[in-house]
Amino acid sequence: MEEKNCEMKSLAAYQRIRDMIITREKLPGTRLVISELEEELGIGKGPIREALMRLDRSGLVRNIPYKGAVVAESPRMREIEIIYEMRVKLETTLALEAMQNMDEQGIAKLESMLSEMQPGLDLQALYHLDRQFHSLIYEYSRLTHLCLVVDKLMESVDIFLVNRPRDDNDLARMHEQHAQILEAFKMKDETMLKDIFKQNIKNGLRLIKKVYSRFMFH
């Protein structure tokens, strides 16, 4: 219970600091002093330290020698668009490679994950299931170095997606697309897989534009 409580506090700190950076309440170059954030957020040092480490991995915070954690410049919308263009190309390639290696055990795991992806699920859990679903597919490509590149690209944008509002249409579309991805693997239909993968990945970009366009610099 204590560990779970600590995770929740870390996530709360992460989300609050993230939003302060994205909305430019904390401007680029601002030092993020743990003791000051502790007072500002009413959250302990441990969860804040973990949140800053996660923000550093996403690129919104930089740990600079002798200065500590500093707010980095938020990516421009054009940069995010290019990241998604790269993701579509690379992740589709990995999925097609995975299709050649996918076995019954892999299909069964994908089916199990899909059965858990219900629209009423907590958004944090739903997002992580989505990541696991895609990561399993890429693992079957057996192109481990490219999988690491995909992880980094995904990490650079997931900060804008985790726990962000999705309406019923968004959730239904997400579930349908994952079902179609699974069907494409079963049928070994490359054309279907390429088409639905592009749609599924671009959904993330659409959600980012929907929620954050008013904060971003174009």
Side-chain angles (χ1 to χ4, degrees):
M1 180 64 72
E2 184 176 344
E3 183 178 348
K4 182 68 174 179
N5 188 43
C6 187
E7 287 178 5
M8 290 176 65
K9 288 182 178 179
S10 177
L11 178 60
Y14 163 80
Q15 292 170 340
R16 182 70 182 96
I17 299 168
R18 172 196 64 189
D19 289 353
M20 288 192 293
I21 294 172
I22 292 170
T23 60
R24 301 182 76 79
E25 184 179 337
K26 299 288 187 184
L27 294 171
T30 302
R31 287 187 64 210
L32 297 172
V33 181
I34 291 179
S35 59
E36 293 177 359
L37 289 170
E38 184 181 17
E39 183 176 346
E40 189 172 356
L41 304 179
I43 298 175
K45 290 184 174 65
I48 289 174
R49 191 173 288 110
E50 290 180 13
L52 291 176
M53 290 172 61
R54 185 174 178 184
L55 286 159
D56 177 72
R57 291 195 297 272
S58 74
L60 283 188
V61 167
R62 292 280 183 268
N63 278 305
I64 300 176
Y66 308 111
K67 288 190 70 174
V70 175
V71 175
E73 183 68 57
S74 298
R76 297 175 183 271
M77 186 55 69
R78 180 57 186 149
E79 186 172 8
I80 291 177
E81 289 172 343
I82 292 171
I83 288 172
Y84 270 90
E85 290 169 6
M86 295 170 66
R87 284 190 57 193
V88 167
K89 184 173 183 179
L90 182 52
E91 291 178 49
T92 301
T93 298
L94 291 178
L96 291 172
E97 290 287 330
M99 180 174 279
Q100 309 307 314
N101 305 319
M102 186 64 67
D103 54 22
E104 291 183 3
Q105 183 179 12
I107 292 292
K109 287 181 180 179
L110 292 176
E111 288 178 327
S112 177
M113 290 179 195
L114 182 61
S115 70
E116 295 182 55
M117 291 185 199
Q118 299 303 318
L121 193 64
D122 170 76
L123 287 178
Q124 178 81 2
L126 188 63
Y127 181 82
H128 285 295
L129 273 173
D130 175 48
R131 284 289 299 265
Q132 291 172 20
F133 186 91
H134 283 266
S135 294
L136 178 62
I137 289 172
Y138 305 148
E139 182 182 322
Y140 268 87
S141 73
R142 299 176 186 167
L143 301 174
T144 54
H145 291 282
L146 290 179
C147 288
L148 292 175
V149 174
V150 167
D151 283 343
K152 186 61 180 176
L153 288 174
M154 292 174 75
E155 196 169 66
S156 69
V157 294
D158 73 357
I159 192 168
F160 303 105
L161 295 172
V162 176
N163 271 21
R164 283 301 154 188
R166 290 166 169 80
D167 59 33
D168 291 342
N169 289 333
D170 291 329
L171 297 174
R173 184 183 299 110
M174 177 183 178
H175 192 274
E176 181 182 357
Q177 288 174 345
H178 282 84
Q180 290 175 327
I181 288 171
L182 180 57
E183 187 64 21
F185 270 102
K186 289 180 177 179
M187 298 171 60
K188 292 194 177 296
D189 188 330
E190 293 187 358
T191 301
M192 179 181 178
L193 186 67
K194 286 190 288 187
D195 180 59
I196 199 61
F197 242 81
K198 181 177 180 179
Q199 292 180 43
N200 183 248
I201 293 168
K202 285 295 184 93
N203 261 350
L205 178 60
R206 182 181 59 80
L207 287 169
I208 289 175
K209 287 183 174 181
K210 178 179 175 182
V211 178
Y212 285 100
S213 59
R214 65 188 183 278
F215 299 131
M216 294 294 182
F217 292 100
H218 299 278

